[in-house]
Amino acid sequence: AQMSINIRRTDDPQPEVQSRQQHQWSFANSSRTEGYLLLPDSLMFHATAYDSFEAFMEKALAGLSLVHEIVELSYLERIGLRYLDSISPRKGEQVEAYLCSSIAGISSAMEGTLVHAFSETSMSIDGGTLVARSIISENGLTLAPDLVPLRLKLPERLNSLSGRNAVLDIDYFIVQRIEDIDMSVVNKQLHASHAIIEKAFNASVTDFALSVWK
């Protein structure tokens, strides 16, 4: 179960606080590298062993199709796609060489010990919302608070990170009521979301980084 707390602002010096317990069901494969998270009002497919967008999308749509077949959903209200990319430099390199200057920040030019460097950009694009975040930290992977605790198993290389590294967290979603539920419509929207996220990722890294990853 998941507990959520809603704080309502009023003129009273003691605001109204409401808590709600929400049940959730988690399903994962035997290696705990991909799975579904089902809540009363949402379905999420997530993976830590990413192969390709087409393979990822096929499984996401299969899960949504199954839920729709069983409960006959009345409508869809939000469709989103989110990528987290870990960037760890090779020996002798700095992570800042992989990131555009607006994300790299000033830490490499300052003396001292980095705690973290964080940036966030939010934009309205093609009727949806893009939220692109980045965090640079020392010695270990840093995830957004809403992803902790992580239900899936991370690759060993991410559990053993050392030195300065970065995480790009890019999310794109649309909020639109869709009453005629058609998987081809969801398919098309996910492809459009993927194109926007890919463009945001390429804008976040340097040409040097792209040449290393070819």
Side-chain angles (χ1 to χ4, degrees):
Q2 182 182 50
M3 182 69 73
S4 63
I5 298 176
N6 179 42
I7 301 177
R8 182 181 178 185
R9 296 183 61 182
T10 64
D11 294 334
D12 193 307
Q14 292 185 339
E16 180 182 344
V17 179
Q18 297 178 337
S19 62
R20 183 182 63 168
Q21 191 175 45
Q22 192 175 47
H23 290 283
Q24 56 183 357
W25 296 265
S26 179
F27 307 92
N29 61 5
S30 58
S31 58
R32 290 179 52 229
T33 57
E34 58 185 34
Y36 300 89
L37 184 63
L38 178 64
L39 282 77
D41 58 356
S42 66
L43 173 70
M44 178 179 72
F45 176 69
H46 52 164
T48 55
Y50 183 83
D51 181 21
S52 68
F53 173 62
E54 294 299 333
F56 177 88
M57 186 183 63
E58 181 179 348
K59 294 174 182 177
L61 291 177
L64 180 60
S65 297
L66 181 60
V67 171
H68 183 41
E69 179 183 335
I70 294 172
V71 302
E72 296 184 5
L73 299 171
S74 298
Y75 60 90
L76 298 177
E77 193 169 56
R78 171 174 167 147
I79 301 174
L81 185 64
R82 182 178 182 183
Y83 276 84
L84 286 96
D85 294 283
S86 172
I87 300 176
S88 181
R90 298 175 299 188
K91 187 176 181 180
E93 297 176 344
Q94 293 185 329
V95 72
E96 287 83 2
Y98 288 72
L99 304 171
C100 71
S101 58
S102 60
I103 290 178
I106 63 172
S107 60
S108 61
M110 301 291 292
E111 294 184 2
T113 301
L114 175 71
V115 177
H116 71 266
F118 176 80
S119 70
E120 177 178 297
T121 299
S122 181
M123 301 179 65
S124 295
I125 301 177
D126 293 347
T129 301
L130 173 73
V131 181
R133 305 180 184 92
S134 67
I135 185 165
I136 304 173
S137 58
E138 296 277 2
N139 298 321
L141 187 71
T142 302
L143 297 176
D146 64 308
L147 298 175
V148 180
L150 191 65
R151 294 175 175 84
L152 299 181
K153 183 179 179 181
L154 288 171
E156 184 55 37
R157 62 183 175 82
L158 296 182
N159 288 320
S160 57
L161 284 179
S162 61
R164 187 169 297 187
N165 64 91
V167 172
L168 298 182
D169 181 351
I170 306 177
D171 184 12
Y172 180 79
F173 59 91
I174 63 164
V175 178
Q176 178 182 345
R177 191 180 179 98
I178 302 174
E179 296 186 350
D180 183 15
I181 299 178
D182 186 337
M183 292 304 138
S184 66
V185 174
V186 180
N187 185 341
K188 183 178 179 180
Q189 180 56 51
L190 288 174
H191 271 90
S193 300
H194 182 263
I196 291 172
I197 289 176
E198 183 177 28
K199 187 174 182 179
F201 175 84
N202 289 336
S204 302
V205 299
T206 61
D207 291 338
F208 168 75
L210 295 175
S211 69
V212 170
W213 298 327
K214 281 184 178 178

